[in-house]
Amino acid sequence: MSESEYNRDQRTTLEAVNAALARLSEAERDAIRETIQPYLRFRDAVDRFFKEVFLAKCTKACFETGLSACCGFESIITFASDHAINLLFSEPERIAALIDVLRRPNLSGKCVYLGPSGCLWSVRPISCAMFLCGQVKSLVFGDVKEREEEWSRLQTDEKAFTFPDQPVLFDSLESRLIELGVESPHLFFHRSPGLLLV
């Protein structure tokens, strides 16, 4: 079986972004990493909330049953900026593992990035971090209004990094990648008709 279109597009983006970042000096990469720090703090807050409130229920209701909507299909949405952030905070071995898994046919019926120990990304794509299925939200939120309000605040905070109605991190990272000559089907902030209208 040959490489799927999804795997090919993911690998093309990963390799193009990785090559572009490799052309920068360490000082330039460090400067970009510095601009990403507020986003990483936000992601830490999301991960903390998920672990404290959702993890046990998600594991039991979805992952252990094989019914997972988040990791149960191949075509998760990734942005070129997701790839850049992940690559800037990944060791070479982890990057090589991502490229390797994308070269192989995905016969699992699950996300290509889902390994035996969980996600292969160091910093998971934002669409994965912010996805919660309706079933688990109903279980967790129930009558606990404070939890639902906290999740709503995190969703609002996400927009400061990813919703291009103002200058945001994902847009500026993508602009930098384009300046570096990256061609990718995941340059949604500059190529997606929907996002260009925001």
Side-chain angles (χ1 to χ4, degrees), residues 34-51:
E34 188 59 34
T35 67
I36 296 169
Q37 291 306 312
Y39 175 72
L40 294 181
R41 287 191 290 274
F42 158 72
R43 290 296 302 271
D44 285 344
V46 170
D47 289 347
R48 239 183 347 265
F49 183 77
F50 178 79
K51 286 175 185 164

Side-chain angles (χ1 to χ4, degrees), residues 4 14 31 39 47 65 74 80-81 105-106 111 132 135-136 141 172 174:
S4 71
L14 194 155
Y39 175 72
D47 289 347
T65 63
E74 184 181 52
S81 297
N106 181 9
C111 176
L132 295 171
Q135 175 191 354
V136 172
F141 294 149
S172 65
E174 194 172 285

Side-chain angles (χ1 to χ4, degrees), residues 75-142:
S75 303
I76 59 162
I77 296 169
T78 63
F79 296 98
S81 297
D82 281 317
H83 286 275
I85 292 166
N86 183 56
L87 290 166
L88 284 163
F89 293 94
S90 292
E91 297 299 319
E93 311 80 52
R94 201 146 185 180
I95 296 168
L98 289 172
I99 293 169
D100 181 56
V101 79
L102 290 170
R103 284 197 172 119
R104 290 185 263 127
N106 181 9
L107 305 175
S108 71
K110 299 182 185 305
C111 176
V112 67
Y113 294 120
L114 184 62
S117 302
C119 185
L120 298 176
W121 287 51
S122 298
V123 182
R124 291 178 302 139
I126 188 66
S127 63
C128 299
M130 298 303 291
F131 177 83
L132 295 171
C133 73
Q135 175 191 354
V136 172
K137 282 195 279 190
S138 296
L139 281 172
V140 169
F141 294 149

